[in-house]
Amino acid sequence: MAILENRHSGARVVLRSETTIGRSRQCVLRLDEGRVSGHHALVRWASSRWELRDLGSRNGTYVDGALAREATLRIGAVIGFGRPDAEWEVLSTTAPGPIAVDDEGLLTTAHGGLLVIEHGEQAVAVWAEHGGWVLEDHLGERREAPPEVVVGGAHFSLDLPTPSRRTIDEVPLRCSTAAFRFHVPKNEEGIRLVVLMRDEPLVSTTSAVVELLYRLARARADQSALAPAEQGWVLTDDLVRALGYRDRRHLAVVVHRARRVAAQAGLTDASDVVERDQSTDSLRFGGIDVGFERA
């Protein structure tokens, strides 16, 4: 994602796939300054780069001190809206991912292409699949991601860029190529999960999601004699009871948190760390290289 930083205040702004800039309340980045026009400039993602375009402003847009009607953003560039003494520096120009915006304008951003929106006792996840965006809701139902969603009573608008290889495959790490190592104490409390790639640790965690992943990984390991497509499936209701969860919504929240841990580790298919078979209402662990070690 692209990030701008105000050189005076230090405030940082994450750009959406199309970000309007100006004094108008309709602009995404609102600058309440006299030299800035109502709709001053537009920054948008154009397949492989971020483009800045002046929208016919009265006082112009400047890049590195030079007046510019159009420009491609690069890291380190400084931008001024309405005056040449630039205030905004470009910190990042990576491809945009999905973003959720609540009614107060607060952003929830994606990790590794996976967006998890959590509010109250509910959570949903959004990721790219088959050239579009998929949403899995708090009950585990999947559908095409809508432009707006309600989670735990809170309203969120979704900014979903056109999926591209750069958006989806920012880092070439997948569940099928990562190694998952569970370090299990004798009492099976405080289990630690280490995710490795080429023997280098990507993440180490003892969070609450590890109990879920451990149970699913153990079920898959115990059924290793079966065909790969049949290994490790656990009925959703059985999993809720075994883990002592309140209901299926509680399970869905933990599933989405587990996917977020995988995304933070850099796995591009983080949604697959917990696979779902809707026809049988079952879940299973998506990793293949799994090991269990006594702590």
Side-chain angles (χ1 to χ4, degrees):
M1 66 189 73
I3 300 175
L4 301 183
E5 181 179 72
N6 188 292
R7 304 175 80 189
H8 301 300
S9 68
R12 293 186 176 185
V13 176
V14 175
L15 300 184
R16 306 184 199 178
S17 55
E18 286 198 0
T19 299
T20 49
I21 301 164
R23 284 190 296 111
S24 170
R25 293 183 180 274
Q26 299 175 343
C27 290
V28 174
L29 175 54
R30 190 174 177 227
L31 303 178
D32 193 13
E33 301 174 15
R35 294 184 62 83
V36 176
S37 298
H39 290 82
H40 193 104
L42 170 71
V43 178
R44 70 183 187 94
W45 176 251
S47 300
S48 61
R49 63 189 182 277
W50 288 95
E51 294 181 344
L52 168 67
R53 179 161 58 93
D54 185 86
L55 297 178
S57 66
R58 182 176 57 196
N59 295 307
T61 299
Y62 296 81
V63 178
D64 294 333
L67 193 65
R69 296 188 63 180
E70 294 184 351
T72 297
L73 295 189
R74 59 174 181 78
I75 295 176
V78 287
I79 306 170
F81 300 102
R83 57 187 188 185
D85 50 334
E87 291 190 343
W88 296 90
E89 181 176 354
V90 180
L91 298 186
S92 172
T93 57
T94 57
I99 294 175
V101 188
D102 69 12
D103 287 336
E104 296 181 356
L106 298 177
L107 303 185
T108 301
T109 57
H111 293 278
L114 177 77
L115 174 66
V116 176
I117 311 167
E118 189 171 345
H119 187 271
E121 297 184 351
Q122 293 184 7
V124 304
V126 177
W127 64 87
E129 188 173 280
H130 304 308
W133 293 99
V134 173
L135 179 141
E136 184 172 297
D137 65 21
H138 60 284
L139 295 177
E141 298 294 329
R142 292 185 185 180
R143 62 182 185 275
E144 181 181 351
E148 300 178 345
V149 64
V150 176
V151 183
H155 174 266
F156 295 87
S157 298
L158 301 182
D159 182 65
L160 305 174
T162 301
S164 64
R165 284 193 60 84
R166 192 175 174 192
T167 302
I168 300 168
D169 300 331
E170 196 73 42
V171 184
L173 304 175
R174 304 184 67 82
C175 289
S176 59
T177 56
F180 299 83
R181 298 293 179 262
F182 293 88
H183 298 260
V184 187
K186 290 183 179 180
N187 59 6
E188 294 195 350
E189 293 182 3
I191 299 171
R192 184 166 63 94
L193 169 62
V194 179
V195 183
L196 303 135
M197 185 68 182
R198 302 183 188 94
D199 296 326
E200 292 294 325
L202 302 175
V203 68
S204 176
T205 181
T206 56
S207 64
V209 304
V210 174
E211 182 182 6
L212 167 67
L213 295 178
Y214 170 70
R215 189 172 291 271
L216 290 174
R218 178 61 74 181
R220 184 158 189 170
D222 290 345
Q223 298 177 10
S224 59
L226 299 178
E230 300 175 4
Q231 294 172 5
W233 293 105
V234 181
L235 292 173
T236 299
D237 288 338
D238 289 348
L239 203 55
V240 169
R241 286 191 292 269
L243 293 169
Y245 291 164
R246 294 184 303 276
D247 50 30
R248 295 166 65 98
R249 295 184 181 185
H250 185 182
L251 173 62
V253 169
V254 181
V255 166
H256 293 322
R257 288 176 179 171
R259 289 168 172 162
R260 182 163 55 199
V261 168
Q264 290 169 342
L267 301 182
T268 58
D269 57 349
S271 60
D272 290 338
V273 75
V274 178
E275 298 177 350
R276 183 182 298 276
D277 185 341
Q278 291 185 297
S279 66
T280 61
D281 194 22
S282 301
L283 300 174
R284 76 167 176 177
F285 184 68
I288 296 174
D289 185 353
V290 182
F292 305 91
E293 302 175 8
R294 283 295 176 184

